[in-house]
Amino acid sequence: MSASDTAAAVAERLPRLAPAAPPAAPATGADTAARPPLIALHGASVRLGGVTALHGVDLTLHAGDRLALVGANGSGKTTLLRLLHGLVPLATGRAERHALPSTARPPVAAMLFQRPFLLSLSVWRNVSLALWLHGVPRAERRARALDALRRVGLDELAQRPARALSGGQQQRLALARAWALRPDILFLDEPTASLDPGAKREVEHVIESFAAEGLTVVLATHNLGQAKRLATRVAYLEAGQVVVDLPVHAFFDTDRLPPQAQLFLKGELAWTR
């Protein structure tokens, strides 16, 4: 079977999405206020060793956002992603984590890295173990794990060793493991950076289907086409600062961006040092 035939077969197993227009821009004004804030950063700075990785960041993440973090290497995208997830401490500033109005509990978050960490276990046991660590009762784990694998088109590979999967399948397994936890926010750090075009499409399809159900997504990416396809909002980082924060259509269709952001869009910006 050819690579294109394989990709087509996998696509048939992935959740179907109705044809739709490109993602709408985030609401503003009163509409934004109608979507509750989940995380708010105020003057947030992060130091890693002797380096200031983030400086004076003001950013609010609302429920339902699809936020793409873009910028040159070393601009602070991954650090901001980790800060939003609570994995790195603040040096200065404030980070507010708001309870969900419907349940009065903090939002549940999950994070995927560029290369997923998988245990030397079967595909379904990698998901089941995450559910155990999350406190899900034993009686529920197998059904939830298999449901998550069906969600990403991997249910027929449930007994296969996880580390024997292809790169794209491993990333979809990581997405299934995250989705099984029923998160409110999904953080993604370059989730398709090392994948071939077919596998990238499969992973993007899964992410899009999650977001279409209302899951809040924050994505760090160098792939501007991916930001256009998946995001409703783009934050451009430069030297540890959020320089631009715009709806996706405004970010890509304006000529009023700062010079460095324009160079980045043209592919002419070197590494941030």
Side-chain angles (χ1 to χ4, degrees):
M1 182 179 289
S2 69
S4 60
D5 291 337
T6 301
V10 172
E12 284 298 311
R13 299 186 50 75
L14 293 175
R16 296 283 185 164
L17 293 177
T28 57
D31 292 331
T32 301
R35 294 187 297 119
L38 301 179
I39 304 172
L41 303 178
H42 304 281
S45 297
V46 171
R47 290 186 64 79
L48 302 176
V51 177
T52 300
L54 291 176
H55 176 65
V57 172
D58 295 301
L59 184 142
T60 299
L61 182 69
H62 289 85
D65 273 350
R66 304 188 200 180
L67 172 62
L69 307 178
V70 302
N73 290 320
S75 60
K77 300 185 300 296
T78 295
T79 302
L80 178 54
L81 203 65
R82 289 170 179 260
L83 175 62
L84 288 167
H85 193 26
L87 298 181
V88 294
L90 279 171
T92 60
R94 292 193 340 271
E96 299 172 351
R97 301 181 188 278
H98 298 272
L100 298 172
S102 57
T103 60
R105 64 163 173 79
V108 175
M111 185 166 179
L112 265 72
F113 298 93
Q114 189 175 131
R115 295 184 180 276
F117 177 78
L118 301 176
L119 298 173
S120 298
L121 300 170
S122 68
V123 166
W124 88 264
R125 285 191 181 278
N126 267 270
V127 181
S128 182
L129 180 61
L131 292 169
W132 172 66
L133 291 171
H134 198 62
V136 175
R138 182 175 183 176
E140 299 178 23
R141 286 179 216 148
R142 184 176 181 84
R144 276 179 63 170
L146 292 176
D147 185 42
L149 292 175
R150 261 191 304 279
R151 191 71 175 74
V152 302
L154 291 177
D155 48 308
E156 291 188 357
L157 302 180
Q159 300 302 326
R160 181 172 296 186
R163 292 183 177 178
L165 298 178
S166 68
Q169 289 170 335
Q170 289 190 8
Q171 197 62 292
R172 282 191 281 133
L173 172 54
L175 282 165
R177 186 168 58 187
W179 185 80
L181 303 181
R182 298 174 181 170
D184 305 293
I185 309 171
L186 183 60
F187 295 108
L188 304 167
D189 189 8
E190 298 280 357
T192 64
S194 58
L195 303 182
D196 63 56
K200 284 182 181 181
R201 287 193 297 271
E202 294 161 10
V203 169
E204 285 187 6
H205 185 104
V206 173
I207 295 169
E208 169 65 26
S209 71
F210 289 172
E213 295 174 348
L215 182 62
T216 302
V217 175
V218 185
L219 167 77
T221 182
H222 282 98
N223 187 326
L224 295 178
Q226 186 171 80
K228 286 183 179 180
R229 290 188 294 272
L230 295 180
T232 57
R233 173 184 170 197
V234 178
Y236 168 73
L237 282 83
E238 181 183 317
Q241 294 182 297
V242 175
V243 178
V244 177
D245 184 354
L246 289 171
V248 65
H249 64 86
F251 182 81
F252 287 105
D253 295 341
T254 184
D255 57 1
R256 294 191 297 273
L257 293 176
Q260 292 293 89
Q262 293 184 31
L263 289 174
F264 175 76
L265 287 180
K266 294 175 182 176
E268 298 174 4
L269 189 62
W271 284 46
T272 301
R273 297 185 182 277

